[in-house]
Amino acid sequence: MILTVTLNTALDITYRVRSLRPHATHRVSEVTERPGGKGLNVARVLAALGHEVTVTGFTGGGTGRIVQERLAATPGVVDALVPTGGATRRTIAVVDERTGDTTQLNEPGPAITPPEWSAFQEAYEDLLAPASAVALCGSLPPGVPVGAYAGLIRAARAAGIPVLLDTSGEPLRRGVAARPDVVKPNTDELAELTGSHEPLRGAQAARRRGAHAVVVSLGPEGLLAATAEGTWRATPPARVHGNPTGAGDSVTAGLLAGLVERRPWPERLAHAVALATATVRAPVAGEFDLGTYEELLGRVAVTGEVSAA
């Protein structure tokens, strides 16, 4: 079982409009709702790939009930969310059908009380026992300590469970110091962490700060990985046009699947890039077509070298 942690879960709401214009009234042509937050998105992709996944984090209020109802209808995903007195946040995406651009509005999330945080930590430690890997994903809701991910990483490491961390800012800086197995920043997040705007140099600096492996998202240019085994670059077969929403979470899912399946790093990166590219191509944001993913997999270019150490 793979465990994904989404402390700041959400109900993702997407509106499609013909053309988004400031200071104007718009007629919405389509509305979709689904459980959201990075870890829930990762879980959905992993389940589609055939993995058993348990999700945890916080849920509350009417929005939280909708999230849990939708999770119950998702095959392969087990709901282990912890209740909170506040309402789960909503994220609003407005898609301009004319340009394909997406405008995102993200609520901050409910304020978590100290007793609620303690209850989550107890639940998390219980969930570690059957887990083969853990993903810690996304932002922290108000009230959760900024060093929360560092503590959760240490708990997983003490249980012998590999951890992937996908967050940003101060939670990323503190989390890296706790020595996660993999961190997955984008170039901006990596530059904020290390001060380097050159991806390979930044990835190597992040490893020196504690991360065992660093996989940098280069957007449409693919992935760069710096690991103890070597460094690699994985590139999509061609520049892809579409909606990038959820592509980063598909990368995380691909890396986790490769971790638990014990694939070598070049294969992990190829699967992650193929999943992300299939996600961008999909007509529904954050989804992917299995056939497209499998077709792309053989055309991802992976270059690099094995470490001499």
Side-chain angles (χ1 to χ4, degrees):
M1 178 270 284
I2 298 174
L3 177 64
T4 72
V5 176
T6 314
L7 296 176
N8 211 4
T9 55
L11 178 66
D12 287 347
I13 303 169
T14 301
Y15 295 132
R16 299 184 70 88
V17 299
R18 185 165 186 173
S19 177
L20 183 62
R21 304 180 309 280
H23 316 297
T25 300
H26 297 80
R27 185 177 297 278
V28 176
S29 61
E30 182 183 349
V31 181
T32 58
E33 294 183 347
R34 66 175 189 176
K38 281 181 171 293
L40 297 189
N41 297 338
V42 170
R44 188 164 46 245
V45 175
L46 285 168
L49 293 174
H51 289 274
E52 294 182 359
V53 193
T54 296
V55 297
T56 190
F58 291 105
T59 183
T63 311
R65 284 192 293 274
I66 296 172
V67 167
Q68 291 187 287
E69 288 170 1
R70 299 294 172 88
L71 280 176
T74 306
V77 176
V78 175
D79 176 1
L81 294 168
V82 175
T84 179
T88 296
R89 67 187 178 128
R90 297 164 298 179
T91 69
I92 312 296
V94 184
V95 179
D96 184 320
E97 295 177 337
R98 179 178 56 85
T99 65
D101 293 337
T102 301
T103 299
Q104 192 84 15
L105 303 172
N106 295 335
E107 296 179 355
I112 305 302
T113 66
E116 290 170 343
W117 176 236
S118 296
F120 170 80
Q121 290 174 289
E122 291 180 11
Y124 172 75
E125 295 199 7
D126 289 341
L127 290 166
L128 285 176
S132 56
V134 177
L136 306 174
C137 304
S139 62
L140 301 179
V144 171
V146 71
Y149 283 139
L152 299 180
I153 291 166
R154 286 191 288 267
R157 287 180 57 79
I161 311 300
V163 187
L164 184 151
L165 176 64
D166 183 7
T167 189
S168 60
E170 186 65 12
L172 174 60
R173 188 183 72 80
R174 297 200 187 193
V176 164
R179 303 185 64 79
D181 294 86
V182 184
V183 294
K184 198 221 74 166
N186 61 33
T187 52
D188 290 339
E189 292 162 349
L190 184 65
E192 183 182 3
L193 173 67
T194 66
S196 175
H197 291 272
E198 200 287 309
L200 180 56
R201 190 171 300 148
Q204 292 167 335
R207 289 197 66 227
R208 289 193 295 270
R209 289 171 181 246
H212 290 275
V214 180
V215 179
V216 187
S217 175
L218 306 174
E221 304 302 321
L223 299 174
L224 169 72
T227 79
E229 291 83 4
T231 59
W232 290 274
R233 175 82 178 266
T235 309
R239 183 172 289 274
V240 178
H241 299 284
N243 188 345
T245 302
D249 300 327
S250 291
V251 167
T252 299
L255 295 174
L256 280 168
L259 174 65
V260 299
E261 293 165 7
R262 301 185 181 277
R263 296 181 183 271
W265 271 105
E267 286 188 27
R268 296 187 205 184
L269 297 171
H271 281 267
V273 168
L275 275 171
T277 306
T279 301
V280 173
R281 282 189 177 182
V284 178
E287 304 293 339
F288 75 98
D289 176 73
L290 192 59
T292 301
Y293 155 62
E294 292 173 344
E295 184 272 329
L296 288 165
L297 183 57
R299 298 196 291 123
V300 174
V302 182
T303 58
E305 59 184 17
V306 176
S307 172

